[in-house]
Amino acid sequence: MKPATAAKKLGVYLPATPASFQEGVVTRAELNELQANPPEWLSELRRNGPHPRPVVAAKLGVSIAGLARGGVTEPLTTEQIEALKQERPEWLEKERATQAEVRKEAARINQLKKEKQERAAGRD
């Protein structure tokens, strides 16, 4: 697979990976090995970053779109993410609240679907 795909699956920011990783092709076996026994560079990237947007969003508890609305367009390090959590800017609080509402609504819809399936199964 392409290095970009492998980096995405590993949850790391591709430009921060070693040149040998960026320039090569990663086989499924190599990807599995990296996941099972991460080398130091991979552990370091996962621990300190810079992190790609999906990881930053997850660590902050917001959506990727919420990051963009908050003006965060670049990868952030763990230290920068922690600083944002401490600062608690208004945009972050607003996006966290929005994300909580989205999760709540998704749970409500899933519960309705489950109840509908149970009723349908009861009629059979």
Side-chain angles (χ1 to χ4, degrees):
M1 69 187 71
K2 293 179 182 177
T5 303
K8 186 175 182 177
K9 289 181 182 284
L10 293 169
V12 296
Y13 183 57
L14 180 62
T17 61
S20 60
F21 181 85
Q22 293 179 38
E23 295 164 1
V25 174
V26 180
T27 65
R28 177 70 58 192
E30 289 170 334
L31 179 67
N32 290 341
E33 181 62 25
L34 286 170
Q35 290 173 325
N37 300 305
E40 183 56 34
W41 66 263
L42 181 55
S43 296
E44 181 67 21
L45 278 177
R46 286 178 168 168
R47 190 172 31 256
N48 298 316
H51 302 288
R53 285 181 302 163
V55 174
V56 173
K59 287 179 179 267
L60 290 174
V62 299
S63 66
I64 294 172
L67 283 179
R69 286 189 292 270
V72 178
T73 58
E74 298 296 319
L76 299 179
T77 63
T78 300
E79 186 177 304
Q80 292 169 315
I81 293 168
E82 292 304 317
L84 273 174
K85 286 180 178 179
Q86 294 299 319
E87 292 169 14
R88 300 176 71 98
E90 185 178 326
W91 72 264
L92 180 58
E93 293 302 313
K94 181 180 175 194
E95 292 300 333
R96 282 182 165 174
T98 299
Q99 192 68 8
E101 286 297 318
V102 168
R103 283 192 212 105
K104 186 174 160 183
E105 181 63 10
R108 185 186 72 80
I109 290 170
N110 285 338
Q111 183 63 31
L112 286 174
K113 285 181 182 177
K114 182 179 175 184
E115 290 170 3
K116 186 176 180 180
Q117 287 172 347
E118 287 172 355
R119 283 194 304 270
R123 285 186 233 149
D124 292 343

